[in-house]
Amino acid sequence: MKFIGLTGGVGAGKTTVLKAMEQLFRVRILIADEIAHELMEPGTDCYEQLKRCFGELDIWNMDGSFNRMKLAAVIFSDEHRREALEKIVHPAVKAYILEEVEKERARGEVSFVILEAALLIEDHYDAICDELWYVYTDANTRKHRLMTDRGYSEEKVEQIFASQLSDETYRKYCVRVIDNNGDEESVLEQIKAMDTM
């Protein structure tokens, strides 16, 4: 079993690559954002720490949970707030992921565990993944996708892009690059052509 870290900028189309991997192999997919959201639910240790850190901000729903849109607006516009959140959430996410990877190794039923996350390199997942893969899509295509599919403003897209790594940095750390400027069939063909095992 290989533990693959899949990364790339917001709007690169990492989900397309995950779908292709699911078609071709037995895989277990872990989505870092989804894990983080679960670990930030009321009643968790992360939630209590975040409540102490962000309690005074207008980012809460009536039931006490986070309003994700408001939280995202805060952390993408305030680097200190983003760092504070990351220091709480990222270690908890990493611990959860490592536990799940070990469970899958013990079960021996999948060929790949694939972790999809935007911050694999920043959080040093290269030290624990067998390989990092980079989904490359040019900035204009990513911007179009985010504005069209997610309804983001141009200003929000630029804020997000400014907070992410450069193409050169992704390529430096990742052993494989999957070009997602084409269609889904193109991605599927690239993965089929890889010497993955």
Side-chain angles (χ1 to χ4, degrees):
M1 188 198 90
K2 271 192 178 177
F3 178 26
I4 304 296
L6 185 72
T7 192
V10 172
K14 295 181 284 293
T15 303
T16 303
V17 175
L18 294 176
K19 283 180 186 171
M21 289 295 290
E22 281 183 309
Q23 285 182 50
L24 296 170
F25 304 102
R26 288 175 299 121
V27 299
R28 164 86 187 277
I29 293 171
L30 300 171
I31 310 290
D33 279 350
E34 292 177 5
I35 294 165
H37 290 152
E38 283 180 34
L39 294 176
M40 290 165 65
E41 287 295 315
T44 65
D45 181 53
C46 274
Y47 175 85
E48 295 305 324
Q49 291 182 60
L50 291 165
K51 191 80 173 170
R52 288 193 291 274
C53 191
F54 296 96
E56 83 285 2
L57 297 179
D58 176 27
I59 56 171
W60 308 94
N61 293 319
M62 293 295 287
D63 65 359
S65 63
F66 285 99
N67 180 308
R68 290 183 189 166
M69 293 292 283
K70 287 183 178 180
L71 179 61
V74 168
I75 63 172
F76 279 121
S77 62
D78 184 331
E79 190 174 334
H80 296 294
R81 295 279 191 189
R82 181 170 55 83
E83 287 174 359
L85 179 131
E86 289 173 359
K87 280 181 182 169
I88 294 167
V89 177
H90 291 184
V93 170
K94 189 178 276 188
Y96 176 90
I97 287 164
L98 285 170
E99 193 176 306
E100 292 304 303
V101 169
E102 286 313 306
K103 284 180 189 173
E104 292 300 344
R105 284 196 200 283
R107 284 188 193 116
E109 294 174 3
V110 298
S111 302
F112 295 93
V113 172
I114 306 171
L115 169 63
E116 187 263 280
L119 300 173
L120 283 179
I121 295 166
E122 297 92 324
D123 284 347
H124 306 292
Y125 277 91
D126 54 319
I128 58 173
C129 291
D130 296 319
E131 293 182 1
L132 297 188
W133 294 4
Y134 169 41
V135 182
Y136 167 73
T137 308
D138 68 69
N140 286 336
T141 303
R142 289 168 55 210
K143 182 187 278 189
H144 176 75
R145 286 177 184 168
L146 292 169
M147 292 174 73
T148 305
D149 300 345
R150 300 192 197 179
Y152 289 179
S153 67
E154 189 163 355
E155 181 186 16
K156 181 170 183 177
V157 172
E158 293 301 335
Q159 277 183 344
I160 294 169
F161 283 7
S163 73
Q164 296 194 320
L165 299 177
S166 67
D167 178 59
E168 292 77 18
T169 304
Y170 283 120
R171 290 176 186 272
K172 176 181 170 185
Y173 285 91
C174 297
V175 299
R176 299 184 190 274
V177 178
I178 300 161
D179 188 306
N180 191 22
N181 286 294
D183 58 14
E184 291 184 18
E185 192 58 36
S186 163
V187 169
L188 201 62
E189 291 306 316
Q190 288 176 68
I191 292 170
K192 281 181 185 172
M194 285 181 179
D195 177 19
T196 50
M197 297 307 287

